[in-house]
Amino acid sequence: MSRWLSHPEILLEQAAVHRGYAESGDLPGLARSVMEAACHNGSMTGPGPQAMEWLRHLPDSDRMELARIWAQWHAGAEDAWSGEAYRRDLAYFRAELLVVTTGVVRGLDHDVLAAERQAALAKLAGEYIAYGHRDWELAEAEIEAGRIPEAAVLATFRRTVIDYHAEPGLRELLTRFPGPVLNPGEAWVDQTLEDAAKGGEPWQRLLDHRAPVGAGAPSAKWLRTGRDLLDAAGPESVRRHVHRWFELVGQERTIPLRGSQGEGAYDPYNVQALRALAWLLSLLPPRHDTCDALARLVETSLRGLPHCGLHPVRVAEAGVVSLGRIGSPDARVELEGLSKRVTHKSVLRRVDRALAAG
């Protein structure tokens, strides 16, 4: 059940009304009842998952008739819409019609409102996050039909899960949505994806070993897996490539984003991979150039960028953690330098702790 509905008992009341229409064979009435519920409950809930599951267990002929009714309403929404009945504006009504129609014909007909579904998904490409009406359900239908939405749509959904909400349906979709291991559109990522494509599966698995969103430092289990992945990809080859990728961090985005964080925003999904790469460097034999690369990553991550609302502070913290784990004289020199230059309070506290531990 969606966590966005304040009073889930409402769904039970609505379900009883739906069943009454279905038992009497009044499909137009059922169509109205479901849409009234969807508009009442809000865009992140719609009719509710239980109601959609019930609708998909109706006879196939009834499901197709409901889809026909709703598709007809979608095509002539101005005539079907009633502000008094649905208490939403026309655009909202059309968006709900698209998602609910898509849901009721899942497994029956992949082509009902397919063009409209694809157009809605195309609008998501390049958005920082998805604010729409359960848009992941549209993507699910397209994937089932063998029409994989573009990688930019996947990128929007990945950012949404991290920065906005953890809706179970969206998380489940991401397990089945094929795409690149990172979200293209940042200079360092574009180069990383190019290099990893040449390195093959070991490099893809290395990049997929992401930092957990809530973890401030790598766990012992994470580090054990990381060592195995480094061995498979070639530790010194990884070192050379990661140094090169870090030099590209902070450059202007190659694909601007739309949204409140600005067109130059860091991608939070890629941030978790960048943190992981910083941690992985701490597993390699200590070297001056690696310590220097980590210190520069810390400072780059705290530097303001044009058209960007947020800085990836967690990346800076990961760089400090890695320097502390390395613990070599070169690492201490870099930490001492950061202690004099860094002004961000939480990062500076990590620098001080790393120096005290050394």
Side-chain angles (χ1 to χ4, degrees), residues 10 20 42 49 51 74 131 133-134 140 156 180 222 243 250 281 307 320 333:
I10 291 173
H74 191 276
Y131 284 109
H133 294 239
R134 308 178 307 287
E140 280 186 322
T156 298
W222 192 96
H243 286 186
L281 288 184
H307 314 296
V320 173
V333 167

Side-chain angles (χ1 to χ4, degrees), residues 8-60:
E9 64 274 7
I10 291 173
L11 297 178
L12 298 177
E13 299 171 7
Q14 294 168 347
V17 176
H18 301 338
R19 284 195 300 272
Y21 282 113
E23 289 167 1
S24 67
D26 184 358
L27 292 181
L30 176 58
R32 287 192 302 273
S33 177
V34 171
M35 282 309 304
E36 286 172 2
C39 290
H40 175 272
N41 296 341
S43 63
M44 298 303 291
T45 302
Q50 292 90 346
M52 289 307 304
E53 184 68 17
W54 174 78
L55 286 168
R56 282 194 284 267
H57 280 85
L58 292 174
D60 290 354

Side-chain angles (χ1 to χ4, degrees), residues 151-173:
V153 176
L154 170 61
T156 298
F157 286 143
R158 284 170 167 173
R159 289 189 291 269
T160 301
V161 162
I162 291 175
D163 260 25
Y164 184 40
H165 63 81
E167 197 67 33
L170 178 50
R171 286 191 176 277
E172 176 64 22
L173 167 70

Side-chain angles (χ1 to χ4, degrees), residues 95-129:
E96 275 300 330
L97 283 170
L98 180 58
V99 178
V100 175
T101 305
T102 293
V104 82
V105 293
R106 285 277 294 276
L108 281 181
D109 191 329
H110 295 306
D111 295 325
V112 175
L113 294 183
E116 293 81 356
R117 187 162 59 241
Q118 291 160 14
L121 289 171
K123 290 180 181 178
L124 285 180
E127 293 289 344
Y128 184 76
I129 59 174

Side-chain angles (χ1 to χ4, degrees), residues 182-239:
L182 300 175
N183 291 339
E186 295 179 277
W188 81 268
V189 172
D190 296 345
Q191 185 62 59
T192 299
L193 290 174
E194 180 181 331
D195 293 341
K198 298 173 184 175
E201 183 182 354
W203 285 79
Q204 299 293 328
R205 290 191 290 113
L206 182 80
L207 292 175
D208 201 34
H209 187 47
R210 309 169 58 73
V213 174
S219 67
K221 180 179 178 181
W222 192 96
L223 291 169
R224 284 196 299 271
T225 302
R227 287 190 182 91
D228 292 341
L229 293 171
L230 283 171
D231 289 342
E236 290 308 315
S237 180
V238 171
R239 189 199 302 267

Side-chain angles (χ1 to χ4, degrees), residues 238-248 281 287 289-291 293 296:
V238 171
R239 189 199 302 267
R240 290 193 303 273
H241 281 87
V242 173
H243 286 186
R244 181 187 183 193
W245 301 338
F246 281 3
E247 291 175 358
L248 300 174
L281 288 184
R287 267 184 20 191
D289 55 346
T290 294
C291 295
R296 284 187 286 110

